[in-house]
Structure formats: C-alpha cells, structure tokens
Amino acid sequence: MRLDQLPLRTASRIAAIDWEGLAPREARRLRELGFDDGVPIEALHRGAMQGPLACRVGRMIVALRRTVAASVIVEPA
C-alpha cells in the first residue's frame, strides 16, 4: 500500500521507496530525514483538497506532498 493511501493512525513500516520516481532534491530530503526500509511510519493528518500529509517517521513528524507520499510503499507493523 502507498503511504498516501494509508488509513490515519495505522502503525506501519516502510517496505520500499521508489527513488527513481522522485526528483533528486526530494529523494535527498527523504534520505536526510531518515526514510529507509523498515523504519516505522504512521499517517497522522491529511491536508484539505489534496494538501500535504503529516506523518510520524520514527520519532519525527514531517509533512510530505501527496506525490512524494505516493512513492513510499508501506506494510503493516
């Protein structure tokens, strides 16, 4: 399941990331934030009208564009 489709407050882990589908700048940002296979992730809030997705990654809360969140594949924890 893609991160942008994950139900809110559902504990999961990152299964894969489509690095080639991301712009180099966005891919670098995700790597710097600690996005990697096996990292715990949870969708917390969706912005209105296809706005950003707030999610907890490890112990941080970050906001991602929906297109970026669609590149993150998650699995139940």
Side-chain angles (χ1 to χ4, degrees):
M1 172 183 296
R2 297 182 336 212
L3 178 58
D4 64 326
Q5 299 171 332
L6 184 68
L8 297 179
R9 305 287 181 179
T10 302
S12 60
R13 294 194 177 279
I14 297 174
I17 299 174
D18 178 16
W19 296 113
E20 287 79 32
L22 294 169
R25 184 176 179 190
E26 293 168 336
R28 186 180 72 236
R29 177 177 175 248
L30 290 185
R31 285 187 180 104
E32 289 171 351
L33 290 171
F35 280 67
D36 201 6
D37 294 355
V39 174
I41 192 164
E42 178 182 5
L44 300 175
H45 179 76
R46 286 183 175 82
M49 299 183 352
Q50 295 298 315
L53 174 70
C55 58
R56 179 175 293 131
V57 180
R59 298 184 326 174
M60 293 182 300
I61 296 176
V62 297
L64 300 174
R65 290 183 191 97
R66 295 278 177 109
T67 56
V68 174
S71 296
V72 180
I73 308 302
V74 298
E75 61 188 8

